[in-house]
Structure formats: structure tokens, C-alpha cells
């Protein structure tokens, strides 16, 4: 009788661990909008468009001026390269705020910031924050 109670308890504990680990939302980004504007931001002033049309490195204002002519303004993904903050602070405020203001002014409804790792593909990068 004791062995069956122990087995039952272990099975319930395993089920609880599995169900809570599956319920934890992933912070890995998965692009579901193939019309999204994807920007790789290198610092406070330099960026490049990765999608829909790749560009050379340029100033943030120049990219925003080109983005206004794009046909879709639903989702914008900003990959923050050289971003080192563990918690949101001055670095995110200085780099993120101009993007949020600029992209919202262009009509983008969803803005997603990702932690860059010096790759041009946002798939699987860590999501820092989403503005919906």
C-alpha cells in the first residue's frame, strides 16, 4: 500500500512539473507576420532594414523616412544589437523610445524589441518587450 502511494505521489509531482514547464511562455521570438518591418539597430543612431527590403547601414531617421512608403504598417521588429542591460533602464530608454515614437507615428500597431546576437534573422531571438 505504501509503494502505491509513493508511486502515485511521484507521478503527480512529475505531472505538475511537466505541466508548469509547458505553461511557461517562451521568450523566443517567432515571426508570424511575413509583412513585418524588421530593423537591426546597432546603436542610438545607426540601423539597417532587414525586411521587407534589405538596406545598408543608415541613420534611424533615414530608415523611418523610407518605412513610411511601405505598404504594410502592422508589425515592426527592432533587433537591439550591442544591448547589454539586464533590466530596463537608461540604455533601453535611450534606444527604444525613439523607435516606439517613430514607428507609432508611422502607424505600426505592434512593435517588438529583441535582444540581438549579431545575426540578421530575428527567428528565435529573445523578446525583450512587445508594444501592442
Amino acid at each position: 500500500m505504501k509503494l502505491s502511494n509513493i508511486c502515485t505521489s511521484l507521478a503527480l509531482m512529475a505531472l505538475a512539473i511537466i505541466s508548469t514547464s509547458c505553461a511557461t511562455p517562451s521568450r523566443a521570438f517567432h515571426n508570424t507576420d511575413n509583412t513585418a518591418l524588421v530593423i537591426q539597430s546597432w546603436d542610438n543612431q545607426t540601423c539597417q532594414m532587414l525586411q521587407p527590403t534589405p538596406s545598408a547601414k543608415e541613420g534611424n531617421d533615414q530608415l523611418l523616412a523610407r518605412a513610411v512608403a511601405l505598404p504594410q504598417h502592422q508589425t515592426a521588429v527592432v533587433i537591439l544589437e550591442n544591448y547589454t542591460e539586464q533590466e530596463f533602464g537608461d540604455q533601453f530608454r535611450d534606444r527604444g523610445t525613439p523607435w516606439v515614437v517613430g514607428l507609432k507615428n508611422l502607424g505600426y500597431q505592434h512593435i517588438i524589441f529583441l535582444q540581438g546576437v549579431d545575426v540578421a534573422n530575428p527567428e528565435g531571438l529573445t523578446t525583450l518587450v512587445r508594444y501592442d
Side-chain angles (χ1 to χ4, degrees):
M1 186 76 155
K2 278 192 165 195
L3 182 58
S4 96
N5 287 343
I6 292 172
C7 289
T8 303
S9 296
L10 288 174
L12 289 174
M13 283 186 353
L15 181 62
I17 290 170
I18 290 169
S19 65
T20 57
S21 66
C22 292
T24 304
S26 171
R27 292 187 56 203
F29 176 74
H30 300 291
N31 193 5
T32 58
D33 182 354
N34 61 357
T35 65
L37 169 64
V38 180
I39 301 166
Q40 195 164 22
S41 172
W42 298 101
D43 54 36
N44 291 359
Q45 301 172 353
T46 310
C47 64
Q48 70 185 98
M49 185 183 300
L50 301 176
Q51 188 179 310
T53 305
S55 72
K57 288 184 181 180
E58 60 188 323
N60 295 354
D61 291 338
Q62 293 157 324
L63 188 141
L64 288 170
R66 289 190 319 109
V68 74
L70 296 174
Q72 297 287 330
H73 289 194
Q74 291 291 320
T75 304
V77 178
V78 180
I79 303 170
L80 295 177
E81 296 293 349
N82 307 310
Y83 181 79
T84 58
E85 283 185 323
Q86 296 300 316
E87 296 181 20
F88 294 117
D90 293 341
Q91 187 180 19
F92 186 81
R93 184 196 69 226
D94 294 346
R95 290 183 68 185
T97 302
W99 284 118
V100 171
V101 171
L103 292 166
K104 285 287 187 185
N105 282 336
L106 294 181
Y108 284 90
Q109 299 171 11
H110 312 288
I111 303 169
I112 304 159
F113 288 92
L114 306 177
Q115 174 77 49
V117 293
D118 203 21
V119 296
N121 184 353
E123 193 65 27
L125 294 179
T126 301
T127 302
L128 296 170
V129 66
R130 295 179 63 102
Y131 293 96
D132 291 318

